[in-house]
Amino acid sequence: MERLRRKSQYIFTLLANAYWLFPWKSPIYQGPLKKICFPGLNCHSCPAASMSCPLGAFQNLLATLRPSIQMGQLHIGAYVLGSLGLIGSVAGRMPCGWICPFGLLQKWLFLLPVPKFSFWRPLRRGPYLFLIVFVVLLPLLVVDSLGYGSVWFCKYVCPAGTLEAGIPLLSLDQGLRSAAGWLFAYKFIVLILLLTWCSFTSRPFCRAICPLGAIYGLFNRVSWLRLRFHPDRCVQCKACLTICPTDVSFYNGLDDLNSAACIRCLRCFSICPSNAVSLEFGPVREDISKAVNTLEV
Amino acid sequence: MKRYFPLFTTIAFITLLALGIWSGEVPVVWHKAVTVCLSCIGIG
């Protein structure tokens, strides 16, 4: 299963960045595939990006909502939310574990031989904060005299934009390089800090910041695909907790197995020696939440 | 009722997706994605 997941991460990273003509042709891909939102975090200004970034697209639609209404159009981000919601309703947060290029990068960085630190659990609320404030409210409410807002998350937080788009484009274009100022310096520092954090802690961006993961995470309990914990089979060996990249502690009832923190990497499902974790696809079974509540009591 | 949440959410988001396509959001998404985003790369 882990080998399959690794292959999936590599294939989707290549698919999301399949335009390798940028040094000779247009600096970024401008074909029809960019009408499709890639289900992971991958900046569409990356020279090799073949699809659009859902977070960037959603913020752009919200930032231009007022002018679009004035022109008689209602562009509220339904296309982007519909795309993400459709994927989330089927697989929950599975794209985070199987598709996202930035998740793959975090996995690589965590392999570096440096001391490892556990994640501070209250930061789990971070992704919702970034989603509500930086992705929705600020682009929607902070507007100029013409009614245009800005893409706040992309501009001030997103490390993928700096890494995948900023650094390559500035390396290739003298004009862009000379235009870079304090904002690029700030974004570069944010990127370095985040990448450093990724080497010390497992998937900190997914767990503390990523608004895309926050959206998918909302579906984990009600998606077609779900994980199911069988407490009667559990031998309390903690193998699931040891291997979980987001420290979902379901064996002792601290977390729900289908909590929003789970990125559906399915490593717990693969490693459990007593088959206490199973996969389900279908309508929600009423006894799942009861099983968790029984454990908590 | 909770049993059919996956079905409800899938239908709701397919409807939302269709609404977005119908209201002309796809060309807007494409137009933004084929232009270098200066905010994303840290310039403007």
Side-chain angles (χ1 to χ4, degrees):
Chain A
M1 182 72 87
E2 189 57 17
R3 190 183 288 179
L4 182 68
R5 188 169 77 93
R6 205 176 306 141
K7 279 184 186 168
S8 164
Q9 286 178 307
Y10 291 142
I11 289 169
F12 277 99
T13 298
L14 286 173
L15 282 176
N17 298 286
Y19 179 71
W20 288 97
L21 295 172
F22 62 84
W24 302 281
K25 287 192 163 184
S26 161
I28 61 170
Y29 172 68
Q30 295 181 316
L33 283 177
K34 279 216 167 155
K35 290 176 182 171
I36 302 167
C37 290
F38 182 70
L41 191 76
N42 196 71
C43 183
H44 52 217
S45 286
C46 169
S50 53
M51 288 179 246
S52 63
C53 167
L55 284 180
F58 187 53
Q59 285 171 86
N60 269 314
L61 288 165
L62 292 184
T64 55
L65 182 63
R66 292 173 200 216
S68 80
I69 290 172
Q70 284 167 1
M71 287 187 284
Q73 299 160 328
L74 191 62
H75 294 157
I76 53 168
Y79 173 65
V80 182
L81 283 182
S83 306
L84 296 179
L86 182 57
I87 294 166
S89 71
V90 174
R93 216 178 154 173
M94 201 169 190
C96 303
W98 290 70
I99 288 174
C100 184
F102 207 75
L104 178 64
L105 175 69
Q106 288 178 84
K107 194 175 84 171
W108 282 339
L109 289 169
F110 194 60
L111 295 175
L112 290 173
V114 293
K116 304 300 175 192
F117 298 99
S118 55
F119 183 81
W120 193 45
R121 285 175 69 94
L123 289 179
R124 277 185 175 186
R125 294 191 178 91
Y128 298 104
L129 183 77
F130 281 104
L131 174 65
I132 293 167
V133 177
F134 280 82
V135 176
V136 179
L137 293 180
L138 290 174
L140 200 58
L141 301 178
V142 182
V143 294
D144 62 18
S145 56
L146 296 172
Y148 288 94
S150 183
V151 286
W152 285 75
F153 184 78
C154 299
K155 192 170 181 176
Y156 296 107
V157 183
C158 186
T162 317
L163 181 69
E164 299 169 2
I167 295 172
L169 285 174
L170 264 64
S171 307
L172 291 168
D173 192 309
Q174 170 63 36
L176 288 176
R177 207 159 46 240
S178 59
W182 70 268
L183 183 60
F184 182 79
Y186 158 79
K187 285 201 74 178
F188 191 76
I189 292 168
V190 169
L191 172 69
I192 297 298
L193 289 175
L194 263 169
L195 296 184
T196 307
W197 193 14
C198 292
S199 62
F200 289 107
T201 305
S202 175
R203 292 215 177 216
F205 181 78
C206 303
R207 299 156 83 184
I209 298 170
C210 187
L212 193 56
I215 295 172
Y216 287 137
L218 295 172
F219 295 92
N220 264 0
R221 283 190 177 88
V222 292
S223 58
W224 289 98
L225 182 77
R226 292 176 312 281
L227 285 159
R228 188 170 187 218
F229 177 49
H230 304 270
D232 50 320
R233 297 183 200 163
C234 180
V235 293
Q236 305 277 311
C237 66
K238 300 183 188 177
C240 51
L241 181 61
T242 309
I243 205 164
C244 180
T246 55
D247 298 330
V248 178
S249 183
F250 62 88
Y251 81 95
N252 54 4
L254 190 62
D255 294 313
D256 183 349
L257 179 52
N258 290 298
S259 78
C262 173
I263 57 166
R264 297 266 164 93
C265 64
L266 308 185
R267 293 174 87 184
C268 54
F269 168 73
S270 302
I271 204 167
C272 182
S274 55
N275 296 322
V277 179
S278 61
L279 269 177
E280 288 183 340
F281 192 90
V284 175
R285 292 167 63 130
E286 297 286 346
D287 56 337
I288 290 178
S289 53
K290 283 177 189 166
V292 174
N293 291 339
T294 308
L295 269 173
E296 282 170 351
V297 169
Chain B
M1 194 69 168
K2 188 184 170 185
R3 187 174 158 76
Y4 295 103
F5 263 19
L7 184 65
F8 296 150
T9 51
T10 304
I11 291 172
F13 284 99
I14 287 175
T15 309
L16 198 62
L17 179 66
L19 184 74
I21 294 169
W22 173 76
S23 67
E25 286 186 4
V26 180
V28 182
V29 168
W30 177 82
H31 180 72
K32 297 287 183 189
V34 298
T35 315
V36 174
C37 166
L38 294 178
S39 299
C40 305
I41 65 174
I43 287 187

